[in-house]
């Protein structure tokens, strides 16, 4: 690890703070003082939300719940009444329908079309198809993985390795995809690219079986404008390689080269949902379904369903029924779902999936054991894990795998990031360790074990940090009795 020079890059998530002041949905940005102050999270029905698609869940007795042809007919009829051109795009893995307006439609037209569906007694719910982003913050340089081993605020991981390494357990990383890296190649099982929009995907097409990260760089203003009219992103950004960084924290192999993951013998299933300017909730819902072993039309069967899902992403909206339905189904299949709390120093309950049910929501702590200044907090938070904070010392972030390319693919490397995006994979890795030692553990039992065996944060936490700072060795010992 000492032989590698840390790489300072600018995470593409630099655009996130500007977005959060609008109806655009994502769960976390940096509180960097160079960025505008964060406004309160918008309601799900905020008319400024720049979406032309929405998700419709029909009640089980409705013909549309079984027939795509019936949905096409229903969308046309409701569009005619609303004076809009509506099209049925596809059925999601949960059975809900994705409906879209013509490209010329305005945000208020979307609201009118959604109202037409809400008035139908055969419709269970209608929610926007929102755009979400990764929840990392700017990187810093440092060389050591204090988050694993330091006694003050580390997660006490090396002692846990005496009992488990994650071997045989698959963790799905629903994120930006993955790049080739020496420390990750042996850990991969087949994943999928669920980005349906080719412009967002930046790989020349839509959904396919290649979850490779082709980059998420964006020029100033390329992702639209926030509710105050400010360009998003506020400045040009480079590739974040966010999914690769998250995957390394979970399962970078212990090969004596570079870094090591919390569950270094676990399998990583890369699932791509985030690209240029983020990603959509409809794609994420299908990714959750597929990762947990559910069926998604057009996608092949997942031969290696994940025992754990990590989602270091989110949006500034309260959890809706579309998200809740997908997450509950995944948990019912036996998959633990770990999510980032968000990076806006706000109540996590106003963010999704952080505020959803059936998830393990993770806040971030700094190297001193305080709640990180950017981390969301509150009753929705279940547990805290190291997420880093670089405002005092540049080497206090979370060190993991990346690619060095700024606006194209480059060579493999390492970087230090901070964010609840970095905290969540620590808990996903711990869940994998638990699943190896006790395969029969349910998601609820895994969550309880992690929460019941935390230790108090050695620093301060205002607003609520869940059960406390996760302790890997203590948790494994409590479950195995060793």
């Amino acid at each position: 690890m000492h032989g590698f020079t840390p790489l300072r890059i600018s995470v593409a998530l630099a655009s996130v703070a500007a977005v959060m002041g609008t109806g655009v949905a994502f769960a976390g940005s940096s509180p960097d003082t160079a960025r505008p102050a964060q406004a309160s999270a918008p309601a799900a029905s905020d008319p400024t939300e720049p979406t032309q698609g929405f998700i419709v869940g029909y009640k089980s007795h409705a013909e549309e719940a079984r027939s795509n042809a019936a949905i096409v007919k229903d969308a046309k009829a409701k569009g005619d009444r609303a004076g809009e051109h509506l099209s049925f795009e596809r059925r999601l893995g949960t059975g809900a329908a994705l409906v879209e307006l013509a490209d010329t439609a305005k945000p208020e037209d979307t609201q009118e079309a959604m109202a037409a569906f809400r008035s139908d007694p055969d419709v269970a719910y209608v929610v926007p198809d929102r755009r979400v982003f990764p929840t990392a913050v700017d990187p810093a340089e440092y060389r050591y993985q204090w988050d694993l081993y330091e006694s003050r605020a580390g997660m006490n991981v090396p002692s846990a390795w005496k009992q488990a390494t994650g071997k045989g357990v698959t963790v799905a990383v629903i994120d930006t995809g993955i790049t080739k890296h020496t420390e990750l190649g042996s850990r991969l099982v087949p994943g999928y690219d669920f980005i349906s929009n080719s412009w967002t995907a930046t790989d020349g097409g839509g959904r396919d079986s290649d979850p490779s990260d082709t980059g998420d760089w964006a020029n100033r203003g390329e992702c639209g404008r926030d509710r105050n009219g400010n360009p998003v992103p506020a400045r040009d950004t480079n590739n974040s390689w966010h999914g690769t960084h998250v995957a390394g924290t979970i399962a970078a192999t212990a090969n004596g080269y570079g870094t090591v993951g919390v569950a270094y013998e676990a399998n990583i299933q890369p699932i791509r949902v985030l690209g240029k300017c983020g990603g959509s909730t409809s794609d994420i819902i299908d990714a959750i379904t597929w990762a947990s072993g559910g069926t998604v039309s057009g996608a092949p069967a997942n031969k290696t369903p994940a025992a754990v899902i990590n989602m270091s992403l989110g949006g500034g909206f309260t959890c809706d029924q579309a998200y809740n339905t997908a997450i509950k189904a995944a948990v019912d299949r036996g998959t633990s779902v770990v999510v980032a709390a968000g990076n806006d120093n706000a109540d996590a309950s106003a963010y999704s999936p952080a505020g959803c049910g059936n998830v393990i929501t993770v806040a971030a702590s700094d190297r001193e054991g305080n709640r990180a200044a950017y981390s969301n907090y509150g009753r929705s938070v279940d547990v805290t894990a190291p997420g880093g904070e670089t405002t005092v010392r540049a080497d206090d972030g979370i060190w993991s795998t990346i690619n060095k390319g700024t606006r194209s693919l480059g060579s493999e490397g390492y970087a230090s990031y901070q964010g609840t995006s970095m905290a969540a994979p620590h808990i996903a890795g711990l869940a994998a360790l638990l699943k190896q030692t006790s395969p029969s553990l349910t998601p609820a039992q895994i969550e309880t074990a992690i929460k019941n065996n935390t230790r108090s944060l050695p620093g301060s936490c205002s607003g609520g940090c869940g059960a406390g700072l996760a302790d890997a060795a203590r948790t494994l010992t409590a479950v195995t009795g060793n």
Side-chain angles (χ1 to χ4, degrees):
M1 185 160 60
H2 294 268
F4 298 92
T5 302
L7 175 69
R8 179 180 291 279
I9 67 170
S10 179
V11 183
L13 267 291
S15 65
V16 170
V19 184
M20 279 310 299
T22 76
V24 177
F26 73 87
S29 68
S30 165
D32 192 312
T33 54
R35 299 172 192 168
Q38 172 56 43
S40 59
S45 60
D46 186 343
T48 66
E49 189 166 40
T51 176
Q52 291 176 322
F54 49 91
I55 301 166
V56 182
Y58 288 93
K59 295 179 180 178
S60 59
H61 68 263
E63 184 181 358
E64 291 85 355
R66 302 178 298 277
S67 168
N68 288 352
I71 299 177
V72 172
K73 183 178 178 180
D74 190 43
K76 184 179 186 305
K78 287 182 170 61
D80 290 344
R81 288 200 299 272
E84 304 295 341
H85 177 70
L86 301 180
S87 62
F88 167 56
E89 292 299 308
R90 67 177 186 274
R91 191 180 292 273
L92 305 187
T94 57
L98 177 61
V99 178
E100 292 194 359
L101 279 75
D103 289 341
T104 55
K106 300 176 181 178
E108 54 267 30
D109 298 332
T110 303
Q111 297 301 319
E112 292 176 4
M114 290 172 65
F117 280 89
R118 288 195 180 104
S119 65
D120 186 342
D122 286 340
V123 171
Y125 62 86
V126 183
V127 298
D129 182 19
R130 301 175 172 95
R131 184 158 290 274
V132 302
F133 293 78
T135 52
V137 193
D138 285 348
E141 296 182 8
Y142 94 123
R143 303 180 186 217
Y144 306 107
Q145 293 182 275
W146 61 267
D147 48 307
L148 302 186
Y149 64 78
E150 283 193 351
S151 59
R152 178 174 176 83
M155 216 173 77
N156 199 11
V157 175
S159 294
W161 291 333
K162 299 173 183 177
Q163 302 180 62
T165 58
K167 188 173 184 178
V169 179
T170 297
V171 181
V173 177
I174 298 179
D175 213 293
T176 64
I178 202 163
T179 60
K180 291 183 179 179
H181 201 288
T182 301
E183 297 201 64
L184 297 175
S186 64
R187 304 267 59 88
L188 301 181
V189 297
Y192 202 76
D193 180 354
F194 274 100
I195 300 178
S196 54
N197 182 284
S198 59
W199 184 83
T200 299
T202 72
D203 60 2
R207 294 182 170 186
D208 55 55
S209 59
D210 183 2
S212 297
D213 187 347
T214 51
D216 56 5
W217 64 268
N219 292 324
R220 182 177 184 269
E222 195 168 8
C223 302
R225 291 183 177 272
D226 63 21
R227 64 171 60 185
N228 298 316
N230 299 314
V232 179
R235 59 182 183 270
D236 293 353
T237 62
N238 292 327
N239 296 321
S240 68
W241 311 119
H242 190 269
T244 300
H245 195 279
V246 168
T249 298
I250 296 169
T253 190
N255 58 4
Y257 177 90
T259 59
V260 60
V262 173
Y264 62 82
E265 288 192 313
N267 300 319
I268 290 292
Q269 183 169 73
I271 301 180
R272 191 167 187 242
V273 297
L274 302 175
K276 182 186 284 287
C277 298
S280 69
T281 51
S282 58
D283 287 343
I284 294 167
I285 285 167
D286 277 351
I288 294 168
T289 303
W290 188 83
S292 58
T295 300
V296 175
S297 178
N302 184 353
K303 296 181 179 180
T304 53
V308 183
I309 287 173
N310 185 93
M311 290 197 291
S312 291
L313 50 78
F317 54 92
T318 55
C319 192
D320 56 40
Q321 195 168 344
Y323 247 153
N324 270 324
T325 299
I327 292 169
K328 184 180 184 302
V331 171
D332 287 346
R333 295 184 194 104
T335 302
S336 295
V337 181
V338 180
V339 304
N343 303 329
D344 292 285
N345 188 27
D347 193 319
S349 64
Y351 297 78
S352 293
C356 294
N358 296 295
V359 298
I360 303 175
T361 299
V362 188
S365 57
D366 64 18
R367 194 169 182 173
E368 300 303 315
N370 306 295
R371 175 173 67 83
Y374 55 80
S375 179
N376 285 356
Y377 51 79
R379 292 183 178 181
S380 292
V381 171
D382 294 298
V383 69
T384 300
E389 189 170 326
T390 60
T391 54
V392 177
R393 290 191 299 265
D395 60 352
D396 287 357
I398 304 301
W399 182 241
S400 189
T401 48
I402 60 154
N403 187 275
K404 292 183 180 180
T406 54
R407 293 207 160 192
S408 61
L409 194 66
S411 58
E412 66 179 48
Y414 302 87
S416 179
Y417 288 5
Q418 66 172 20
T420 55
S421 273
M422 287 59 257
H426 284 80
I427 300 302
L430 176 52
L433 298 181
L434 287 168
K435 197 67 175 177
Q436 180 196 350
T437 60
S438 303
S440 64
L441 286 176
T442 66
Q445 289 170 330
I446 287 173
E447 178 179 350
T448 297
I450 292 172
K451 291 163 67 173
N452 284 353
N453 293 285
T454 58
R455 63 185 194 269
S456 298
L457 270 71
S460 63
C461 173
S462 58
C465 289
L469 182 64
D471 188 304
R474 183 181 294 181
T475 304
L476 267 291
T477 297
V479 170
T480 64
N482 295 331

